[in-house]
Amino acid sequence: MEGKYCYLGVLSVMMNKFHQLLVLLLIPVLAQAQQQTDLLIVGGGASGTMAGIQAARMGVKTLIVEETPWLGGMLTSAGVAAIDGNHRMPSGLWGEFRQKIYGYYGGPDKVSTGWVSNTLFEPSTGNALLRQMAAGEPNLQIRFNTAFAAIRKNSGGWTVTVREGKKSRDITARLVIDATELGDVMAAAGAKYSIGMDDRAVTGEALAPPAANDIIQDLTYVVVLKDYGKGADKTIPRPAGYDPAPFRQCCDIADPASFDSPKSNCNMMMQYGRLPNGKYMINWPKHGNDYYLNIIEKTPAERAEALKAAKLHTLRFVYYLQTELGFKHLGIAGDEFPTADKLPMIPYHRESRRVKGKALFTANHVSKPYDQAQPLYRTGVAVGDYTIDHHHDKNPDAPKIDFVKMRVPSYNIPLGSLIPEGVSGLIVAEKSIGVTNIVNGATRLQPVVMGIGQAAGALAAVALRNGTEPEATDVRAVQQALLDSKAYIMPFIDVPAGSPHFAAIQRTGAAGVLRGSGVPYQWANQTWFYPDREVSGYELVEGLRPYFPALRTHWGATGDPLTVAALLEIFSKAGVSVSMEEISGNWRGLALPGAPAPGTVLNRGSAAVLTDHFLRPFHFKINLNGEIQQ
């Protein structure tokens, strides 16, 4: 019997060691099958990349999964390597990316190569520079060639299934950002959304059609051509179904926002998207390679099949340029995209699903931000200046709307438009935020989408740090995090991020204490703060009344230019006692010009800085509608 028990004991020890060895062998397999992170960003496009960098810099363990081998989305993988707008508002990470472009090519003049933009670059270079930015963040991981498959709630947040080739992997995360091109994650998570044009009665927008429809903007399959020299013949094989008729008027370069632009010039048309190093981005809307497809609700396989028609249309346009217009020396660049056909990896989607968010940003908020029932401008987290621009030429069923006639100033995007209604733990970025179809014509542009991504990353970081859901996160804390990163929350072009008064004036503007003046201007609309202009005591009191109840019955403020003595009286009436000595003691530290005296007349900039420092109206709590929480 003793021998039997001894044998069983030895067997038990062997089995235990085998079990331990099996566990050790399985650990890497299990780790490979499932991964955990604090923040998962699905999509490494224009917004996803910026969201990842921002969150990582704020200390969040972040993972980006991207279906292509590149970062940048429409900036790079779609080939739209010409920045539209925000040239005078290089906000946050967009400004940092632009500076890297300047450094690579040798300065601003070297990238102002095409007339569509002030900043153009080769898509492959854009990808390399974005990878460089991301590589500097130890809290950020990126998995390329990884496609979204499914999402489900778990007790600690989300479980997201992704595919890498034929293999599937689960990733668990406390928060998820949908930065996909078409809003696939939010749809799978159960968020409500819209596709197409809105009903005028619902949005209150004068330009909206009288009834909703599912018509979206034309997309474009961009192509990058390269100059191989005047003697070269790079003509592609005649594409199937080629007909020159649709392209006959492509040399029309008349600018709908101008009264004196030329009507037709083929050479100038080609300069539209001229990139550095003898390359040309072909993303031409007028009788060019725009194409109408609504593939939003299709499966990935169905999308790929449908997009073959858009690719073919672009190749037909290339053939037309080479054979009819004589540009045979311009051939498809072989050194840009890592694809078999040398076309971009994805199309340029101008429109996607639009989430039903905590805030709906309409054209009325853009045109008259201070006159709306909901002061959403107070919650701004990203800025844009491009005019409302829609592409509908390729769909004869699209209502004829003259979007150019809708003259609007620059704008800021409310935080609530990034937060879905009814789905916690999810943030929406890219072109899927809570805006109307009309407003999407402005918010879809690259620097705006980059700003949306940076805001999404900041929101996620603040929410994770404070243990709150995105919808319950302090709006002002998110805005301050963005200001700390030199990102604009108000679209003031005359107080740049390098100014010592940038943050104070941004805060004062976001509080609505001193307001900006909006100007519709060509394709780069403007909002001015005018820091050097005089300000009256009455103007300042009007802006402070919502925050300080005592000022609501104070009518002693005059329309005369505001002096330091008058400012101190206003502070006192508001219930904050500030002495002349305190003003003098803080004057230099606040980088204000000259020396203060009771009779010193203050301009808008100085009044904003002093009000921000002593009264701190920005730090009053507000909700996602911009309403002050007393």
Side-chain angles (χ1 to χ4, degrees):
M1 293 294 290
E2 287 182 4
K4 180 179 179 182
Y5 285 125
C6 180
Y7 170 76
L8 290 174
V10 170
L11 182 62
S12 175
V13 170
M14 290 177 63
M15 289 296 293
N16 187 46
K17 289 190 175 294
F18 176 75
H19 179 261
Q20 291 176 359
L21 178 62
L22 184 63
V23 169
L24 288 173
L25 290 172
L26 283 175
I27 283 174
V29 175
L30 292 170
Q32 186 177 13
Q34 188 171 67
Q35 186 172 355
Q36 191 278 329
T37 187
D38 290 334
L39 174 63
L40 174 63
I41 302 169
V42 183
S47 67
T49 302
M50 299 308 171
I53 292 171
Q54 178 68 27
R57 288 182 180 178
M58 293 178 68
V60 174
K61 180 184 176 184
T62 304
L63 172 65
I64 296 174
V65 293
E66 163 56 30
E67 65 180 355
T68 75
W70 280 15
L71 289 178
M74 63 175 164
L75 292 166
T76 58
S77 301
V80 192
I83 301 297
D84 287 311
N86 284 32
H87 181 62
R88 296 181 65 177
M89 290 191 295
S91 176
L93 291 172
W94 146 231
E96 188 176 324
F97 176 56
R98 186 177 74 174
Q99 201 57 45
K100 285 194 172 291
I101 294 171
Y102 287 171
Y104 180 86
Y105 286 105
D109 292 344
K110 300 296 184 181
V111 296
S112 185
T113 48
W115 54 269
V116 68
S117 171
N118 293 288
T119 307
L120 301 99
F121 52 93
E122 294 156 287
S124 56
T125 298
N127 165 57
L129 295 177
L130 290 172
R131 279 176 173 250
Q132 187 183 103
M133 290 174 66
E137 306 304 326
N139 289 316
L140 178 60
Q141 285 186 303
I142 303 170
R143 301 192 71 89
F144 292 103
N145 300 307
T146 303
F148 168 75
I151 183 171
R152 64 184 184 276
K153 266 287 188 182
N154 62 42
S155 58
W158 298 96
T159 299
V160 175
T161 302
V162 297
R163 290 196 180 94
E164 298 168 314
K166 295 182 179 180
K167 295 181 179 179
S168 292
R169 171 193 301 273
D170 282 347
I171 302 170
T172 61
R174 291 166 63 191
L175 285 182
V176 171
I177 294 177
D178 182 351
T180 59
E181 293 292 323
L182 297 175
D184 292 336
V185 176
M186 70 170 192
K192 295 180 180 179
Y193 57 86
S194 299
I195 298 175
M197 295 182 173
D198 303 294
D199 186 319
R200 182 186 305 160
V202 174
T203 66
E205 298 168 315
L207 278 184
N213 60 55
D214 64 353
I215 295 173
I216 65 171
Q217 291 193 63
D218 301 341
L219 58 75
T220 305
Y221 223 105
V222 174
V223 61
V224 173
L225 302 183
K226 182 177 180 179
D227 189 343
Y228 288 92
K230 287 296 181 183
D233 185 351
K234 292 293 181 177
T235 304
I236 63 173
R238 182 185 176 98
Y242 172 72
D243 178 3
F247 310 117
R248 290 292 187 202
Q249 300 178 57
C250 70
C251 294
D252 176 10
I253 58 169
D255 184 350
S258 174
F259 295 104
D260 55 3
S261 62
K263 302 301 181 186
S264 182
N265 186 319
C266 295
N267 285 317
M268 188 172 177
M269 179 268 290
M270 292 300 296
Q271 301 300 312
Y272 173 82
R274 185 164 66 94
L275 309 178
N277 293 325
K279 293 176 182 175
Y280 297 80
M281 176 194 73
I282 306 302
N283 174 28
W284 183 244
K286 292 187 175 184
H287 306 278
N289 55 329
D290 278 9
Y291 195 82
Y292 184 74
L293 278 177
N294 187 341
I295 61 173
I296 293 174
E297 298 282 41
K298 295 183 181 297
T299 67
E302 290 170 338
R303 290 173 181 174
E305 185 63 28
L307 285 170
K308 289 179 181 179
K311 282 188 177 185
L312 181 59
H313 182 70
T314 288
L315 292 175
R316 290 168 181 164
F317 186 46
V318 170
Y319 188 76
Y320 179 86
L321 296 175
Q322 293 173 327
T323 59
E324 297 283 336
L325 299 188
F327 294 108
K328 64 181 182 179
H329 60 292
L330 301 182
I332 297 175
D335 56 351
E336 277 301 322
F337 305 105
T339 54
D341 57 13
K342 301 306 177 184
L343 294 179
M345 288 159 272
I346 61 173
Y348 175 28
H349 295 286
R350 291 184 176 87
E351 201 165 326
S352 69
R353 300 177 176 94
R354 302 188 313 282
V355 73
K356 181 181 180 183
K358 291 291 185 178
L360 175 63
F361 192 45
T362 72
N364 299 326
H365 293 105
V366 174
S367 59
K368 295 182 178 180
Y370 302 115
D371 297 341
Q372 306 307 311
Q374 295 178 332
L376 295 180
Y377 73 89
R378 289 178 181 158
T379 72
V381 288
V383 296
D385 64 10
Y386 204 77
T387 195
I388 292 174
D389 179 32
H390 281 242
H391 291 226
H392 288 295
D393 290 346
K394 297 301 171 66
N395 185 354
D397 296 326
K400 302 303 178 186
I401 302 174
D402 191 348
F403 293 100
V404 174
K405 285 185 178 179
M406 186 166 189
R407 309 292 286 148
V408 297
S410 52
Y411 58 88
N412 64 352
I413 293 172
L415 180 63
S417 65
L418 280 64
I419 303 172
E421 184 73 60
V423 180
S424 294
L426 180 66
I427 299 168
V428 177
E430 200 64 23
K431 294 176 283 286
S432 299
I433 61 171
V435 299
T436 63
N437 166 267
I438 287 179
V439 172
N440 172 76
T443 58
R444 66 179 174 83
L445 280 308
Q446 306 101 312
V448 184
V449 172
M450 283 188 268
I452 291 167
Q454 185 168 8
L459 171 58
V462 174
L464 288 167
R465 181 176 64 204
N466 296 339
T468 59
E469 294 291 348
E471 62 268 26
T473 300
D474 184 1
V475 176
R476 294 306 195 203
V478 177
Q479 291 176 313
Q480 187 58 55
L482 291 167
L483 291 175
D484 292 342
S485 301
K486 301 299 183 184
Y488 292 57
I489 61 175
M490 296 297 292
F492 301 149
I493 65 172
D494 51 349
V495 185
S499 165
H501 302 147
F502 170 74
I505 288 175
Q506 287 277 312
R507 286 192 293 262
T508 307
V513 172
L514 290 176
R515 298 176 173 184
S517 298
V519 178
Y521 177 73
Q522 296 181 359
W523 293 92
N525 300 314
Q526 303 171 347
T527 302
W528 299 80
F529 185 77
Y530 296 123
D532 297 325
R533 286 189 178 177
E534 289 183 349
V535 61
S536 72
Y538 181 80
E539 183 182 355
L540 181 62
V541 168
E542 281 292 288
L544 289 171
R545 288 191 208 279
Y547 296 92
F548 299 94
L551 291 177
R552 294 171 195 168
T553 57
H554 173 60
W555 300 102
T558 175
D560 290 332
L562 181 68
T563 64
V564 171
L567 181 72
L568 294 180
E569 181 183 356
I570 292 169
F571 286 178
S572 177
K573 293 292 185 182
V576 180
S577 179
V578 179
S579 68
M580 189 66 212
E581 289 72 21
E582 288 177 288
I583 292 288
S584 299
N586 284 277
W587 193 268
R588 180 168 294 182
L590 295 173
L592 296 174
T600 300
V601 174
L602 300 171
N603 58 26
R604 285 170 54 86
S606 297
V609 171
L610 291 167
T611 301
D612 175 73
H613 182 76
F614 288 106
L615 294 192
R616 298 166 62 85
F618 176 81
H619 294 279
F620 282 64
K621 298 286 186 182
I622 61 171
N623 62 24
L624 290 170
N625 290 326
E627 298 159 341
I628 301 164
Q629 307 296 285
Q630 293 289 353

